[in-house]
Amino acid sequence: MFTAEEVVAKIRECETAGGNPMKITPQRRLIFKALEGKTTHPTADDIYREVKDIIPDISVATVYKTLNELVKLGILLELKHDGEQSRFDPRTDQHSHLMCIGTRTNEKGRAVPCGRLEDVSTSFPQLTVPEEEQRGFQVAYNEVIFYGYCPECQQRLGK
Amino acid sequence: MFTAEEVVAKIRECETAGGNPMKITPQRRLIFKALEGKTTHPTADDIYREVKDIIPDISVATVYKTLNELVKLGILLELKHDGEQSRFDPRTDQHSHLMCIGTRTNEKGRAVPCGRLEDVSTSFPQLTVPEEEQRGFQVAYNEVIFYGYCPECQQRLGK
DNA sequence: TTCGCTGCAAAGGGTTTGCATATTG
DNA sequence: CAATATGCAAACCCTTTGCAGCGAA
């Protein structure tokens, strides 16, 4: 939940590990813009393909590096929950996710996950681990993921 | 939560997609044994290294294929929540997990996740997605992951 | 005897890295 | 001007696949 300009402003305030704030390059500005207001949880490759239309010789490496920086700064959330590509979420407030577990068959006859991922505004800070099962862990936060079938997969799979 | 023999028995009852039950080979029996009662959530490679001591020329491919079969049969749970290797859990009843978010620096000076993963007996079937956020999804189940620092990482990182 | 399984090595896919060069602050 | 970022290609890591021969039922 941010605009590209807000990201630029936030970055100018921040310090990275090295001590200096990230530099703002045209490539990065474009990546921020691509993330702006997105609720689709794009993959790095989604972002890459989108910015490539404007700066055709941008490299995937640049996209990955930039996204990783934003994650480190806490401006972006990285979701790595299906064993597939990471997905990125510009929304960083406490919320949950709803993920589709349907699969479809690709050209090579292989099952590929639908992977549709949606935000759910609710969070569940009240959930706790029973004392006797904490094993000395210092719990920082929790995450709730709801799994199910999206409307398209219900129809396709006859669920 | 099973013994190798229970797995064998369960498999003999099952039918695979092809119609016939999986065959029980010495390699597979050994893999079942390696999983028996394990609460450490081993990776495929952990299992591979363990069985390799007994059948030295077993291949990783065999381990992966066998684990995947067990997952398909619902005898084993695959956890793919850190973007790292999948971890396997012989416990298939409803439960939650506690994962360490600490990192350590490896020989190459890179941050690698601790990744310690523990079972938590509690599950939270009562959690639901507000109607207006379901977007037509048919929710099947949910998963709760508690993140925090394990005792070792607390000490090492001074948390 | 018939499928399914094995080990091997190669392919796959997503992500990261190393490096020479170009840019930002 | 110093410190970072860029693009490229190669490297990485985990996992899967294709295949010829072997072995369970």
Side-chain angles (χ1 to χ4, degrees), chain A residues 9-63:
Chain A
K10 212 179 263 181
I11 284 174
R12 300 227 195 263
E13 294 164 13
C14 293
E15 301 212 340
T16 57
N20 299 315
M22 293 171 62
K23 291 184 175 173
I24 311 297
T25 64
Q27 289 88 334
R28 289 183 166 178
R29 228 180 256 278
L30 201 55
I31 292 169
F32 304 159
K33 218 153 201 118
L35 289 168
E36 201 173 277
K38 212 147 254 170
T39 61
T40 54
H41 307 90
T43 63
D45 196 62
D46 291 335
I47 298 293
Y48 171 63
R49 289 202 312 273
E50 186 170 339
V51 298
K52 203 176 168 59
D53 284 347
I54 300 170
I55 303 186
D57 61 354
I58 193 171
S59 105
V60 230
T62 298
V63 174

Side-chain angles (χ1 to χ4, degrees), chain A residues 12 23-24 26 61 64-65 68 85-86 108:
Chain A
R12 300 227 195 263
K23 291 184 175 173
I24 311 297
Y64 275 102
K65 286 170 187 163
N68 286 340
Q85 292 121 286
S86 283
K108 293 171 192 157

